[in-house]
Amino acid sequence: MRMRAHCRPSSPARWTADAVEWARECASWPLSEYSSFVDVPPHRWHVQRLGTGPSLVLLHGAGGATQSFRHLAPLLAEHFDVVMMDFPGQGFTRLGTRQRSGLRETTQDISALLEALEVDPKMIVAHSAGAAVALSLAEARTGLAVVGINPALRPFEGVAGWLFPALAKLLALNPFVPGIFARLSRGAGRVEGLLTSTGSRLDPAGTALYQRLIEDRAHVDGTLLMMASWSVNALLERLPRLCVPVLFLLGTRDGAVPNRVAEDAAGLLPNATVRKFAMQGHLLHETAPKDVAEAVIAFAAEAGVYQPSSA
């Protein structure tokens, strides 16, 4: 079921339907030595797995990939068996069908992937839109704790509530738009400006990784499909019945998702805690990975899913 992904930059073979070309990218892609490709229909997944201990799953947000955990994953791997994957159509995961990019379908497909990998997670740590998947997964599992990093858990409001999803869907259905968007994003400073608008400032290496993603037409297409299909309304209605331990980690300077979104969601959850980090933005896990790792480990111990060493 699991296939080790080797880097062969000189090989003519490539994943023609992947979000990015693995043979070209993997030599300099973060943690590629832990990568494998797994066929679990309808998608071919890019998975990274490292560390030992209780299983912990990392879920990235819309438009990102496993590279967003390049600093956090090794820190958590000192205590956990860390499993992370690119969402369908994003990063290196090949999208098997364009009809399974919504929250419910993504949750089902990630659950099937974990089952195929024989991973029974004790904790899920998720960023932004990934937090909706984490909470959805927690509904069907016992003994699972959830950490949401700047979670995106609110539907679009007002005019955007009907205009944005429709616009994203039109863009996703137009075969020329992802390529045009990818080309427009190649201008110097555009990606850096986009990242800065989230309240986070990455180092040049981190910015370059997002540049590589956003210049890839298939990745842009997969992200647009996800945005066009996403709805958290039903999940929000079910939150009062979700009794798992939940921790929301928020950057007070988040320019992408206001802190009140997580605070409102925490008010619906029976067992949720909010912790804020001053001077941090939406990409908190990338700019302050040590602080996030310490918070995750402490919360895992409190939730009883991790036993710290007495040494």
Side-chain angles (χ1 to χ4, degrees), residues 54 80 122-123 143-145 245 296-308:
F80 300 94
K122 303 304 178 187
M123 172 174 281
L144 184 64
V296 168
I297 294 166
F299 181 66
E302 283 179 29
V305 301
Y306 170 70
Q307 183 64 46

Side-chain angles (χ1 to χ4, degrees), residues 19 89 220 226:
V220 172
M226 178 181 177

Side-chain angles (χ1 to χ4, degrees), residues 29-187:
W29 199 253
L31 305 176
S32 61
E33 65 270 28
Y34 300 106
S35 289
S36 61
F37 286 94
V38 183
D39 286 307
V40 180
H43 314 296
R44 167 166 285 184
W45 299 85
H46 171 234
V47 177
Q48 293 186 325
R49 189 169 187 176
L50 58 159
T52 58
S55 292
L56 179 150
V57 171
L58 294 176
L59 300 176
H60 65 78
T66 56
Q67 72 8 285
S68 70
F69 298 116
R70 63 195 177 280
H71 300 311
L72 179 61
L75 296 174
L76 294 177
E78 296 177 10
H79 308 271
F80 300 94
D81 166 29
V82 175
V83 181
M84 50 186 174
M85 72 292 295
D86 295 336
F87 278 14
Q90 297 175 56
F92 295 95
T93 292
R94 179 189 295 178
L95 184 69
T97 174
R98 299 177 69 85
Q99 280 71 52
R100 297 194 62 81
S101 293
L103 174 56
R104 182 181 64 178
E105 295 80 9
T106 300
T107 301
Q108 291 171 347
D109 292 345
I110 288 179
S111 183
L113 171 64
L114 295 177
E115 194 171 319
L117 293 173
E118 298 182 348
V119 171
D120 182 18
K122 303 304 178 187
M123 172 174 281
I124 301 180
V125 179
H127 175 240
S128 196
V133 178
L135 292 170
S136 297
L137 286 168
E139 291 181 290
R141 296 174 179 270
T142 58
L144 184 64
V146 173
V147 176
I149 303 170
N150 291 315
L153 295 170
R154 176 172 290 181
F156 296 105
E157 300 174 341
V159 174
W162 59 267
L163 176 61
F164 183 81
L167 179 60
K169 189 167 293 184
L170 286 173
L171 293 175
L173 291 174
N174 187 325
F176 300 105
V177 167
I180 294 171
F181 186 83
R183 288 195 296 274
L184 289 175
S185 300
R186 290 174 184 167

Side-chain angles (χ1 to χ4, degrees), residues 272-294:
T273 304
V274 174
R275 179 176 173 185
K276 295 185 178 183
F277 292 81
M279 311 300 289
Q280 295 293 337
H282 191 61
L283 304 177
L284 167 65
H285 58 304
E286 298 191 56
T287 56
K290 291 183 179 179
D291 292 337
V292 171
E294 289 174 0

